[in-house]
Each structure stands twice: as structure tokens, then as C-alpha cells.
Amino acid sequence: MLPRWCHRGPAVDLLTVLIFFVAFTLSPTFAAPQAAEQAARPNGDCAGLKGVNPQCRSQETAHRREYFYIGGKYVLDPVLKGNLVVDQLYVEKLIPANGIKRQHPLVFFHGGGSAGNIWLQTPDNRKGWASYFLDLGYAVYIIDQTSVGRATQEDISGYPLRIGSTAEIAQRSFAAPEIANAYPQSQLHTQWPGKAIIGDPIFDAFAAQFIPLTSNLTRQELSMRASGCKLLSLIGPSYLISHSIGAIHPILLSDECPRLVAGNINIEPATIPFQSYTGNATSPVGRTINRPWGLTNTRITYDPPANAPTDLKTVNNETDTPALRSCVYQAAPARRLPQIAKVPYMALTAEASPHITYDQCVVNYLRQAGVKVDWIKVRGNWHTWEWAFFVSGEE
């Protein structure tokens, strides 16, 4: 039975059971360290960066690990007069030590300003999502998206970089949104384990993980579409689990190779139609125009066909408030998304995150275009809750 603090569509499917095993059944593990974990820590303290101590025992599930570079192509550098490999995807393959017990692999897509390591453990060194799904017998694939982390590109001009985050942004947008109080739901946040300030070992470990990301989203989308479908062609139909801006890539793969996508599970998808939100109406950053194809920067399949972004007629008739941001939708009659609609889609939103004010834009846009969507809302958490702390389902 689903906890009372969650809201979702009427149909219960495997994707719901899958994600709720982590978010609900295992929530006491996220709420506080267990006795076994405490015993593994010298003097009871391996939090944050202190976990590098060799006496601190890893909480990761036993597994076999390999890495691969998937996709890409050779291009001739006219200055070096040599060939460079570009547009390749970095992939880690994690197989449970006790063997695979599930039919479909899981592929994890990180968000902006981060890399695939976010799925391995939390900033205070507890096991991450990868380990929980390894415990369930899944083959797990963790990627670094093209231009990011270990998929950094030698085509420097084609993949220019921008700053991922500052410590101050990490605090007010992720670790302690209630301090800035930019939207009323921020006061519901309960799930950061430390003080969320510079100098706190857990916050320092969290802030240290931010890395640059590319500003050329069109190039990244094109390379992720090609390399992502190449990966799925090698491993077979898979569930795609994404966070934030990483949710663009499962949308692209659903459009390009839907038969290879078993389902999309999207944690606070940053695919807000035709625009981007950072913070809310009281934020100095606020709203920017983005994603001319609705959910993406590059072309996706509509029915009737859209040959250019200008073919997509839009409306915005909603009031914009800090608690509920306005959305841009298609004007009626809305074009359908026939390829994307072939893949089951789930969105998950934390009630204290800025996304609680605008994720309805993504959900309603997809539904308007004929995509079946389940939407689950989780209590107490913040935006980056693959690093965060779930609460018990009891009230």
C-alpha cells in the first residue's frame, strides 16, 4: 500500500513498485544510520570527507564493476592534423556479486553540475541508489553524460563549459531551501542531516561534488541521442532513471529508440516546456526561454508533424505565483508525441523542492500530448534527493 503522503495516478505498475521499494520500504535506512553502520566507523565518525579514512568501511553492495566508452566518432583536428574521438558516453557496469535476478537493466542519468557518482553513495557515506537496486538483483549502468566528468570531450570548442554551482546556490537550492524561503513549500524541508553550512563535513562533501557542465545543450542532446541508443542496443530494453536536467536524455531516447526503453523514472525532471525555472517568482534568476521543441532543444517527433519549433503554437493562461509557477502548453488541438507515448513515464517530486512549484508543467504537457504519466509526490525532501534522506511513510 502506498503511503498517505504520496499522490499518483490510478494505475499501479512495475515502475511504481520499483521506485517505492527505495523511497518507502527502505526509508528507515535513509532516516538514520543503523547500528551496523555505526560499528563500522572508528569513533563513530566517518561522515562526509572523513569517510576517506581507510578504517571506514564502505556501505556499497558487493558487485563486479567494469567501464566502457560507448558511441562517438573520429573527427580530424585541422590544427593537430590527427583524429579525435568525440561524442562518446562513459558507462559503468555494476553487476550484483550474487548474480542478476531481474529481466531489465537500470540505466542512471545524473543531473546538471554532477556526474554518475551521485548514485553510488550519499554525502555522509551511506549506500546510494545503485547499491539498493544491486541488492534487488538488477544490473545497474551508471553514465557520465557527454561533456561531463569522465565523458569530458576533446572537442573543446564544441562543448564549452559553464560553472555547475556555488556553495551558496547549493545551500539555498538544495541543502536548506527553507533559509531563503523563496517559495512557501520550502518550509516543509526536513531531510538534510547536518547544518547545511560551509565547514559542516557533510555539506562540504556535498558541495565538493559539483562540476562544470556544457552550455551547448544542442550538441549534447545530439550526442546523447546517438550514444544512448547505442548503449541500449548493446544491453537490451532497460529502465531509465534520471534526475533533473538529466531527464532530457530519456525523453530523447524514448523518441529515437522507444523499443529499447522499458520505462522512464524521472526524479524532478527539468524538462519544463519551452522555459527554464531556477528558484521561483521571488528568485533573481527566475524564468528563461528554453527548449524550443517543448521538452527538448532538438527535434522530437510530433503528430501531426512539426517541421520547425515555430509550428508548435503555445498558450500560457495561468497565474504565476511563488507557490505555483505558470506553464506553457500547446494550443488546442495539441500535437501528439507518438514515439514518447510508447514508453511508460513516471515523475517524482519532493514536496519541499522548488520543483513542487512547476513540475506540473512537465506532467500536464506530456498528458496533453497523449503520454501516460504517473506522478508521485514525496514528503519532506529537496531537489537532489538521490543524495538525500527519505522519511517514514507514517504520519
Side-chain angles (χ1 to χ4, degrees):
M1 184 175 66
L2 299 180
R4 294 191 297 276
W5 42 268
C6 295
H7 309 276
R8 61 179 308 281
V12 177
D13 55 25
L14 178 59
L15 298 179
T16 304
V17 176
L18 181 71
I19 201 70
F20 263 91
F21 189 90
V22 173
F24 181 53
T25 308
L26 295 177
S27 59
T29 304
F30 280 82
Q34 300 299 296
E37 293 184 18
Q38 291 280 18
R41 301 174 176 179
N43 302 319
D45 189 3
C46 282
L49 302 178
K50 297 177 183 179
V52 74
N53 188 303
Q55 298 304 313
C56 293
R57 189 178 67 196
S58 172
Q59 301 303 315
E60 281 194 279
T61 296
H63 61 273
R64 302 190 307 277
R65 184 182 310 226
E66 300 172 273
Y67 75 89
F68 303 89
Y69 282 90
I70 304 296
K73 60 189 177 184
Y74 286 102
V75 296
L76 181 65
D77 186 290
V79 176
L80 298 176
K81 295 181 172 52
N83 286 291
L84 304 176
V85 178
V86 300
D87 297 343
Q88 71 272 38
L89 182 67
Y90 174 83
V91 180
E92 285 191 17
K93 171 187 172 185
L94 280 59
I95 301 298
N98 294 327
I100 299 171
K101 298 180 175 62
R102 306 285 178 161
Q103 178 181 1
H104 297 299
L106 308 180
V107 183
F108 286 85
F109 295 77
H110 59 82
S114 60
N117 62 283
I118 65 171
W119 304 104
L120 296 175
Q121 64 193 58
T122 65
D124 62 338
N125 301 324
R126 289 168 299 106
K127 65 164 60 175
W129 285 43
S131 283
Y132 281 116
F133 286 113
L134 288 169
D135 286 337
L136 293 173
Y138 284 95
V140 170
Y141 291 83
I142 298 175
I143 70 169
D144 284 0
Q145 297 158 20
T146 52
S147 82
V148 173
R150 285 163 290 187
T152 298
Q153 298 290 310
E154 293 209 282
D155 183 0
I156 298 172
S157 62
Y159 288 93
L161 297 178
R162 65 178 179 88
I163 295 297
S165 183
T166 66
E168 289 74 18
I169 292 174
Q171 181 194 60
R172 67 174 179 262
S173 299
F174 302 125
E178 67 276 14
I179 296 176
N181 193 25
Y183 52 99
Q185 298 95 319
S186 68
Q187 300 308 298
L188 301 174
H189 178 243
T190 60
Q191 294 305 99
W192 183 260
K195 297 179 181 179
I197 59 174
I198 294 175
D200 177 81
I202 298 174
F203 181 80
D204 290 347
F206 169 63
Q209 298 184 57
F210 285 98
I211 59 176
L213 65 158
T214 186
S215 57
N216 189 346
L217 299 179
T218 296
R219 176 68 180 274
Q220 186 185 52
E221 286 186 18
L222 293 173
S223 59
M224 284 296 298
R225 186 192 293 259
S227 295
C229 285
K230 176 66 174 178
L231 170 64
L232 296 181
S233 72
L234 293 170
I235 67 176
S238 304
Y239 287 109
L240 311 184
I241 302 178
S242 66
H243 173 249
S244 194
I245 198 65
I248 287 181
H249 307 308
I251 284 287
L252 294 169
L253 301 188
S254 296
D255 185 66
E256 185 75 15
C257 49
R259 66 181 182 82
L260 296 175
V261 183
N264 284 335
I265 304 169
N266 303 273
I267 304 168
E268 306 210 334
T271 51
I272 307 148
F274 302 105
Q275 57 187 340
S276 286
Y277 278 127
T278 300
N280 53 75
T282 65
S283 167
V285 180
R287 181 203 314 254
T288 58
I289 296 173
N290 206 337
R291 286 178 282 281
W293 286 93
L295 301 170
T296 61
N297 294 284
T298 55
R299 185 173 179 173
I300 51 178
T301 305
Y302 283 92
D303 184 23
N307 296 315
T310 53
D311 292 340
L312 300 173
K313 307 306 179 184
T314 60
V315 294
N316 184 349
N317 296 322
E318 298 179 351
T319 301
D320 191 44
T321 68
L324 190 67
R325 302 308 309 268
S326 63
C327 304
V328 178
Y329 300 120
Q330 292 189 69
R335 285 177 162 84
R336 316 290 276 182
L337 290 167
Q339 293 289 88
I340 294 170
K342 295 176 182 179
V343 179
Y345 185 99
M346 175 181 290
L348 299 104
T349 306
E351 69 170 358
S353 167
H355 276 251
I356 198 65
T357 71
Y358 48 74
D359 273 3
Q360 77 281 355
C361 301
V362 179
V363 170
N364 293 336
Y365 188 87
L366 286 166
R367 288 173 174 169
Q368 183 191 36
V371 180
K372 179 184 175 182
V373 178
D374 283 324
W375 188 18
I376 297 174
K377 303 174 187 178
V378 180
R379 191 181 70 186
N381 281 276
W382 48 300
H383 176 50
T384 314
W385 48 284
E386 72 274 29
W387 279 336
F389 296 72
F390 294 106
V391 295
S392 170
E394 299 178 357
E395 296 185 58

